[in-house]
Amino acid sequence: LAESYVLTDLNLSHNDITRKGVQDLCDGLSVNRYTLRRLNLSYNNALDYSVAKMLCKVLRNHKALTAINLEGNSLLDAGGDVFYDFLVTDMESVILSELNVSNN
């Protein structure tokens, strides 16, 4: 991810990504923050509070991001609160037009 300057869509759905996997993803996304438009992490069941917080911290710097799919990740209230805060505080810096948090 860090070396890819043309990556626009990243689909990692249904992969059972672990907390370590999300950390590695965030490391790559923190370097390449100019081209990613769509991120699909649906049905991974790894997005608890700390993982959601880590992901939002990185995503707030992605100015081209227009869609995030977090469907089916058991976000619960704490993880949902993190994404709510992300939307409320960072909507001026991102151009997000699609957010799927269904089945959580």
Side-chain angles (χ1 to χ4, degrees):
L1 288 174
E3 304 275 328
S4 175
Y5 295 103
V6 293
L7 181 67
T8 59
D9 293 75
L10 181 58
N11 184 343
L12 296 172
S13 64
H14 294 78
N15 275 295
D16 292 325
I17 297 173
T18 63
R19 179 172 293 163
K20 170 75 168 101
V22 172
Q23 177 62 56
D24 291 342
L25 172 65
C26 287
D27 290 345
L29 290 175
S30 67
V31 176
N32 178 357
R33 52 179 212 240
Y34 301 106
T35 62
L36 187 65
R37 295 187 187 285
R38 304 178 67 78
L39 178 62
N40 184 347
L41 294 175
S42 62
Y43 294 99
N44 278 294
N45 296 316
L47 296 180
D48 61 13
Y49 173 80
S50 62
V51 171
K53 192 167 181 125
M54 179 179 12
L55 192 57
C56 284
K57 183 179 178 183
V58 170
L59 293 179
R60 78 174 30 104
N61 294 316
H62 282 262
K63 309 303 183 206
L65 192 63
T66 61
I68 302 173
N69 186 345
L70 301 171
E71 180 179 4
N73 276 297
S74 305
L75 287 175
L76 304 175
D77 289 341
D81 288 346
V82 171
F83 281 101
Y84 173 79
D85 290 342
F86 166 70
L87 291 173
V88 169
T89 60
D90 296 305
M91 282 311 291
E92 293 178 5
S93 63
V94 295
I95 53 172
L96 195 64
S97 61
E98 295 177 39
L99 175 63
N100 184 351
V101 291
S102 62
N103 296 316
N104 277 291

